[in-house]
Amino acid sequence: MSSSFDKSKLPSRHTTVGPERAPHRSFYYAMDLTREDVARPFVGVVSTWNEAAPCNISLMRQTQSVKKGVYDHMGLPREFCTITVTDGLAMGHEGMKSSLISREVIADSTELTVRGHCYDALVGVAGCDKSLPGLMMAMCRLNVPSVFIYGGSILPGKFKGKDVTVVDVYEAVGMHENGKMSDEDLLELELAACPSAGACGGQFTANTMACVSEAIGLALPYSSGTPAPYEERDKFAYESGKVVMNLLKKKLRPRDIVTLDSLKNAAVIVAATGGSTNAALHLPAIANECGIKFDLMDVAEIFKKTPYLADLKPGGKYVAKDMFEAGGVPMLLKTLLDGGFINGNCMTVTGKTMAENLKDVKFDKKQDVMRPHDNPITPTGGVVGLKGNLAPEGAIVKVAGMKKLRFEGVAKCFDSEEEAFKAVKSKNYKEGDVIIIRYEGPKGGPGMREMLSTTAAIYGQGMGEKVALITDGRFSGATRGFCVGHAGPEAFVGGPLALLEDGDKIIIDAEKGTIDVDLDDQTFKTRKGKWKPKESNFNSGTLWKFSQTVGSAKNGAVTHPGGSKEKSCYADI
């Protein structure tokens, strides 16, 4: 047995050390563990495995490799699963109210499992949108030595000789309704779009947060790129198990790694890849766990200064597998480091700094997926923050792949996504409209739904560049077009969106970073006086509980005060 680990200083001493813990040890012996096993550090190995969707089905296989890596390096792995809600299946109906809330449940349930059983370290394996930030939040909250590993992306589908993703199917629904696609072609596309295990292949939320996991320093270099079906993933999983034991020896914890500088690095990679607007919600939430102030507009400031370098769907041509084969996240980080866009001094789970990790990485100029920092697709990032009298707390828009960055039009207001989708489906809107979907914010939804069905239908009808859309809810990482999300304060608490009326003139300028309605202060004041709060349909259960505690989108839609109010840290029990 290695003498490197002093159990008297680890949390697991509370369940394994001393005569008074004999009953606790009996439970471990019932699971065929030996006395030597019980003397080892206990490492929680959590995955979001389930059979809901392809993003999660390969996680249990990879988790076994993590456990072997832990055990071979003198730790005792303790596997457990937590929930996940898969956005692709929750999209377009009330199930999407569960999605963002699942991020909190994932973080909370991981925390409770580790606290309740006194685990000393953590490896998290996640495959779908909210499960990635949920596990990273738990790691920072608990602050035990931790390694994150992504389950990997799906392989691209093939339809009529072209690579396709599930977003092509969403947009095909609009084309089909518009008479531009036959029943036979729609069926052929839906059968071909998702050919393997893994998360959606474009630079949607899962792959965006996977890139973040490497850029923020919580995941091993290259671990986020390998597609889910590839056996190479299992090597990264094994290595993650090995590395967490090294972190335990070095007493290197998540909050030593996740600093303001590494959060900024994470924001840079989101912008450089034209990533999901959801990252602007998840990065402040991760920061909150560490007691760091880093809000939506702080993230947006970084987006504004970052060149857009990776030509990934939905704004570009390629999918995650292509980026992996072209050189992966480290190659992109290397050119960003060379250009002075990221801080190379940040510590990572390798025990080395970012700059040390990237020392031998060379940029391959022959590939076409990623550009060098001095030859960007566009000089500013793929995601932009907006502020104005329509969103005093800020809002966000993904501009990657967009032709025009200014939109002027008139408001067409809907009090739910269902109302908006019904109008779009029946083509009850016109060119120049700014579709407003309100009462879908964190409290008002509750749950801050994504709006992919509506935006994809608009694109499928050929109106993607001819209208804009604003919501206090979210957009899918797969959304494209002039779609503004996270507008705050939300309508449910009387934010400006609640006071809009059909026909109000709206100006959105993504170059200037502004979002305004052409109304004077007096008109706002008069309308506010007449406004009545909307009654929620959810007055019990988890959705009600979330709505009582959740804060604004600006600060990550978090449900607790975070590390800044912490008086004792779990890792020090």
Side-chain angles (χ1 to χ4, degrees):
M1 180 72 193
S2 168
S3 58
S4 304
F5 301 108
D6 180 359
K7 284 275 270 196
S8 70
K9 293 198 168 56
L10 293 176
S12 63
R13 73 186 184 278
H14 295 295
T15 60
T16 60
V17 175
E20 69 277 16
R21 300 307 179 203
H24 300 66
R25 290 191 294 271
S26 290
F27 283 122
Y28 293 121
Y29 302 143
M31 293 183 279
D32 290 333
L33 298 178
T34 65
R35 291 178 68 189
E36 188 211 28
D37 289 335
V38 175
R40 295 173 178 228
F42 280 35
V43 179
V45 180
V46 56
S47 82
T48 56
W49 174 87
N50 64 29
E51 293 183 330
C55 20
N56 309 304
I57 56 171
S58 72
L59 301 187
M60 197 171 279
R61 180 199 93 219
Q62 295 180 50
T63 300
Q64 305 321 304
S65 296
V66 172
K67 288 164 67 179
K68 191 168 186 327
V70 168
Y71 197 80
D72 287 354
H73 294 86
M74 303 315 293
L76 183 70
R78 298 287 80 200
E79 182 181 359
F80 63 100
C81 289
T82 185
I83 70 147
T84 186
V85 172
T86 298
D87 288 13
L89 290 169
M91 197 73 69
H93 55 87
E94 275 203 352
M96 181 48 79
K97 291 179 185 291
S98 303
S99 169
L100 182 61
I101 300 174
S102 76
R103 183 191 73 180
E104 308 310 300
V105 175
I106 290 161
D108 293 351
S109 58
T110 302
E111 176 195 359
L112 292 176
T113 301
V114 171
R115 275 188 184 277
H117 305 116
C118 298
Y119 295 157
D120 303 317
L122 188 64
V123 180
V125 192
C128 196
D129 297 7
K130 306 308 168 293
S131 58
L132 283 81
L135 289 186
M136 286 187 258
M137 286 162 66
M139 291 170 180
C140 293
R141 186 184 302 178
L142 293 159
N143 205 30
V144 290
S146 301
V147 178
F148 176 86
I149 181 165
Y150 179 41
S153 67
I154 199 168
L155 297 172
K158 285 280 183 194
F159 176 69
K160 297 191 183 298
K162 288 184 179 176
D163 282 356
V164 289
T165 70
V166 72
V167 176
D168 294 286
V169 189
Y170 273 103
E171 293 183 3
V173 171
M175 293 169 69
H176 179 261
E177 283 171 356
N178 220 27
K180 293 180 180 174
M181 180 175 272
S182 67
D183 291 350
E184 293 75 22
D185 277 356
L186 182 60
L187 177 62
E188 186 185 334
L189 176 58
E190 74 174 83
L191 290 171
C194 299
S196 75
C200 297
Q203 195 63 352
F204 315 145
T205 306
N207 282 317
T208 298
M209 294 310 295
C211 292
V212 160
S213 71
E214 286 194 40
I216 212 167
L218 287 174
L220 291 173
Y222 297 102
S223 66
S224 70
T226 321
Y230 289 14
E231 285 187 13
E232 193 177 340
R233 287 227 61 80
D234 300 309
K235 293 178 191 169
F236 284 113
Y238 180 89
E239 196 65 20
S240 296
K242 173 185 172 183
V243 163
V244 82
M245 297 309 298
N246 189 43
L247 294 176
L248 199 55
K249 273 182 193 163
K250 291 187 167 186
K251 299 184 175 139
L252 188 61
R253 296 174 171 183
R255 294 185 200 173
D256 301 321
I257 292 167
V258 180
T259 61
L260 183 57
D261 283 332
S262 70
L263 284 157
K264 287 177 179 177
N265 286 352
V268 166
I269 201 138
V270 175
T273 58
S276 168
T277 54
N278 279 310
L281 204 64
H282 301 323
L283 291 178
I286 293 168
N288 179 63
E289 302 292 353
C290 300
I292 298 168
K293 189 191 169 300
F294 189 60
D295 67 23
L296 172 75
M297 296 314 287
D298 295 324
V299 176
E301 268 308 301
I302 293 161
F303 288 171
K304 196 193 290 183
K305 297 183 283 196
T306 306
Y308 172 37
L309 302 177
D311 193 10
L312 300 169
K313 286 177 179 280
K317 290 187 283 192
Y318 297 105
V319 294
K321 174 178 174 282
D322 301 318
M323 183 165 162
F324 159 67
E325 289 171 349
V329 172
M331 195 169 88
L332 186 60
L333 286 169
K334 176 68 175 203
T335 192
L336 287 164
L337 179 66
D338 290 345
F341 294 99
I342 64 168
N343 186 326
N345 295 322
C346 294
M347 183 51 64
T348 72
V349 289
T350 63
K352 298 176 182 175
T353 65
M354 180 67 70
E356 288 170 331
N357 286 346
L358 299 173
K359 186 165 157 277
D360 298 323
V361 176
K362 301 271 190 296
F363 192 88
D364 179 4
K365 292 187 177 173
K366 291 177 185 171
Q367 54 77 42
D368 189 41
V369 182
M370 291 171 273
R371 302 272 193 95
H373 70 86
D374 53 1
N375 181 29
I377 300 165
T378 56
T380 56
V383 183
V384 172
L386 306 170
K387 219 169 191 177
N389 69 355
L390 201 47
E393 285 185 353
I396 203 146
V397 61
K398 185 171 181 175
V399 296
M402 274 170 47
K403 295 183 184 76
K404 57 179 183 177
L405 299 180
R406 189 178 188 279
F407 195 97
E408 195 172 308
V410 294
K412 190 170 181 65
C413 302
F414 301 96
D415 287 354
S416 71
E417 187 195 6
E418 284 85 357
E419 285 181 25
F421 184 66
K422 189 177 172 187
V424 168
K425 201 173 174 188
S426 59
K427 299 178 190 165
N428 184 20
Y429 69 105
K430 62 185 186 302
E431 188 172 335
D433 279 347
V434 180
I435 295 168
I436 307 294
I437 306 179
R438 58 194 176 192
Y439 297 103
E440 292 287 6
K443 280 184 183 293
M448 207 180 177
R449 280 195 284 185
E450 291 186 354
M451 309 289 169
L452 179 60
S453 294
T454 306
T455 59
I458 288 168
Y459 249 90
Q461 291 174 2
M463 294 287 280
E465 304 285 332
K466 296 170 184 174
V467 296
L469 203 153
I470 302 172
T471 183
D472 50 9
R474 297 180 294 124
F475 287 114
S476 165
T479 291
R480 56 192 179 127
F482 223 129
C483 298
V484 179
H486 305 198
E490 61 176 291
F492 192 74
V493 299
L497 284 190
L499 311 177
L500 284 182
E501 295 176 3
D502 287 354
D504 286 343
K505 184 180 168 189
I506 291 170
I507 305 107
I508 312 163
D509 194 322
E511 264 183 295
K512 289 183 183 171
T514 58
I515 179 167
D516 292 293
V517 56
D518 189 14
L519 294 176
D520 58 37
D521 292 346
Q522 186 55 47
T523 306
F524 261 133
K525 199 173 174 184
T526 304
R527 289 187 187 179
K528 187 73 185 261
K530 293 177 184 173
W531 176 77
K532 287 191 175 80
K534 191 181 178 201
E535 197 175 321
S536 176
N537 288 331
F538 298 90
N539 292 314
S540 67
T542 306
L543 274 65
W544 174 85
K545 210 186 301 185
F546 178 81
S547 71
Q548 302 310 298
T549 54
V550 70
S552 71
K554 178 186 176 186
N555 295 313
V558 296
T559 56
H560 71 115
S564 65
K565 300 290 183 187
E566 191 180 82
K567 289 194 174 174
S568 63
C569 174
Y570 164 76
D572 297 323
I573 63 166

